[in-house]
Amino acid sequence: MSQQPRASHAPPPAAIQMTQMVYGFWVSRCLQTMAELEIADTIGDTPKTVEELAEASGTHAPSLRRLLRLLSGLGILVKDEATQRWGLTELGEMLRKDNPGSVYGSLRAHGHILSWQAWGDLANALKTGQPSIEKFMGDSFFNYMSKNPGIATIFNDSMAAYQTMNAPAVVNAYDFSTTRSICDVGGGTGMLLARILQANPGARGAIFEMPHVAPQARQQLTEQGLAGRCEVLEGDFFARIPEGYDAYILSQILHDWDDERSLRILQCIRAAMRPDSRLLIVETVLPGDNVPHFGNLYDMAMLVVVGGRERTGTEYAELLAKAGLKLSNIFPTTMPPSVVEAMVA
């Protein structure tokens, strides 16, 4: 009796692996365009024909069908052959704007022409050590955002979505039960602090943000029913930070800045801390060389967009020491960021 050949579980040849990497940005662009056209929201809970989707998105139906076919092969859409209608899979649901774990905001931000231009000029960033996006903005990233509210909204929505995914993991990884007051420095629209306060009803909080972000934060806190337990303070974390809180949070902040400016932020926080206060840095902690890790890719994004960087645990310890702080613990979460706890030295 002849035997059927066994399925091979060996990795694909090196040439195939490299080809998949080379063409990876094609997939990203297709996902970004799907978000721009709001295909997932148009489908919603009711599968649609390609003609219905084309009419809603203002696209050419035969061409759109080719995109849908690609996305179905990636496990994002599924087609019912009997009805010729396209529906969302569990993965595809993540593209809906109304999904709490949606990546819609991230796709819109990273699909923006400025992001593509910055990555296209990666070689210049490697040669100069300066963020390549500034060439196309004509200004620093954060100055540009403060002057262009439309683009800033896209960026803030992306950060809010990222915090929405990370917040439950942070709350589960770190014990806030004895913390009575928390200041989230650069806390954006308040997604992370809101989750912490909801899980710890005895705590009060404050979001410390720039004036152009503060209105969104107040609106979000009001919608979460937390306006009475959390205030929004405006200011510059390079100058002065509100004093006397039990805990200070820096979530996705230090990776935006080089060591010199990160040290300035830490020194301002150290000046605001009581002897028994804690600083919680929520960032991806790099494991070191020769280890595949999401943070390595994000580290490159920090280079081309803002001139910042991700750091190892040792690098955080050294940076904290220069600010008069000491790293006391690192709490991994189920998401890429960890909680780096620091105390007054």
Side-chain angles (χ1 to χ4, degrees):
M1 178 183 292
S2 63
Q3 294 184 341
Q4 294 294 324
R6 294 181 179 178
S8 173
H9 297 289
I16 298 299
Q17 293 183 56
M18 284 303 303
T19 300
Q20 291 172 339
M21 292 183 189
V22 169
Y23 295 156
F25 80 95
W26 293 1
V27 175
S28 297
R29 190 63 193 132
C30 287
L31 291 173
Q32 290 158 1
T33 303
M34 182 182 179
E36 291 169 11
L37 297 174
E38 300 186 355
I39 298 295
D41 292 285
T42 301
I43 294 174
D45 297 325
T46 307
K48 304 289 192 303
T49 65
V50 66
E51 289 78 17
E52 290 172 323
L53 294 173
E55 181 178 358
S57 59
T59 55
H60 177 239
S63 298
L64 179 61
R65 185 191 181 286
R66 295 161 68 176
L67 175 64
L68 303 182
R69 179 173 58 198
L70 168 67
L71 297 175
S72 68
L74 295 173
I76 293 166
L77 299 176
V78 61
K79 178 185 176 185
D80 185 324
E81 293 293 346
T83 63
Q84 296 292 297
R85 293 179 178 274
W86 298 83
L88 298 171
T89 64
E90 183 177 357
L91 271 180
E93 291 285 345
M94 301 297 291
L95 296 169
R96 292 177 61 169
K97 287 186 288 186
D98 59 357
N99 188 324
S102 176
V103 298
Y104 173 85
S106 295
L107 285 170
R108 293 287 286 117
H110 296 295
H112 194 279
I113 185 62
L114 286 169
S115 176
W116 280 82
Q117 288 173 323
W119 279 99
D121 203 37
L122 173 60
N124 185 58
L126 293 173
K127 292 176 181 178
T128 65
Q130 299 301 311
S132 52
I133 202 169
E134 292 184 356
K135 177 192 298 186
F136 306 100
M137 287 182 163
D139 204 341
S140 71
F141 179 83
F142 292 107
N143 283 342
Y144 185 88
M145 290 296 159
S146 67
K147 300 171 185 175
N148 295 271
I151 297 176
T153 297
I154 294 175
F155 170 75
N156 290 334
D157 287 347
S158 172
M159 293 300 98
Y162 195 61
Q163 293 288 20
T164 298
M165 291 189 292
N166 290 335
V170 171
V171 171
N172 291 334
Y174 191 84
D175 183 8
F176 290 93
S177 61
T178 61
T179 307
R180 292 293 172 260
S181 61
I182 306 167
C183 181
D184 192 348
V185 179
T189 57
M191 287 290 182
L192 174 58
L193 186 54
R195 190 65 181 250
I196 294 171
L197 295 179
Q198 288 165 348
N200 297 272
R204 299 182 64 85
I207 299 290
F208 185 63
E209 257 298 354
M210 294 179 289
H212 72 277
V213 179
Q216 284 182 272
R218 292 189 180 98
Q219 179 182 344
Q220 287 285 348
L221 291 169
T222 299
E223 292 175 358
Q224 296 281 342
L226 292 169
R229 291 174 56 204
C230 188
E231 58 184 333
V232 179
L233 307 175
E234 300 179 14
D236 178 2
F237 54 45
F238 286 111
R240 182 180 176 277
I241 288 170
E243 300 176 354
Y245 288 85
D246 291 350
Y248 290 84
I249 296 176
L250 281 173
S251 178
Q252 315 294 308
I253 298 297
L254 292 183
H255 73 172
D256 288 336
W257 307 99
D258 58 21
D259 284 353
E260 180 181 352
R261 285 176 287 187
S262 291
L263 178 58
R264 179 58 186 153
I265 296 170
L266 291 173
Q267 288 170 332
C268 287
I269 289 183
R270 171 63 183 87
M273 292 172 70
R274 303 192 312 257
D276 61 341
S277 297
R278 292 162 289 159
L279 169 61
L280 307 176
I281 301 170
V282 181
E283 295 279 12
T284 298
V285 178
L286 300 180
D289 298 334
N290 297 321
V291 181
H293 195 276
F294 169 79
N296 294 324
L297 187 59
Y298 218 70
D299 185 37
M300 297 303 298
M302 295 301 101
L303 171 63
V304 301
V305 176
V306 292
R309 57 180 299 184
E310 304 294 347
R311 297 174 173 89
T312 65
T314 299
E315 289 169 337
Y316 273 116
E318 293 172 350
L319 191 60
L320 288 164
K322 292 177 182 178
L325 299 164
K326 60 182 178 182
L327 193 157
S328 56
N329 214 332
I330 297 178
F331 299 87
T333 75
T334 54
M335 295 296 286
S338 295
V339 180
V340 179
E341 181 187 61
M343 305 289 193
V344 174

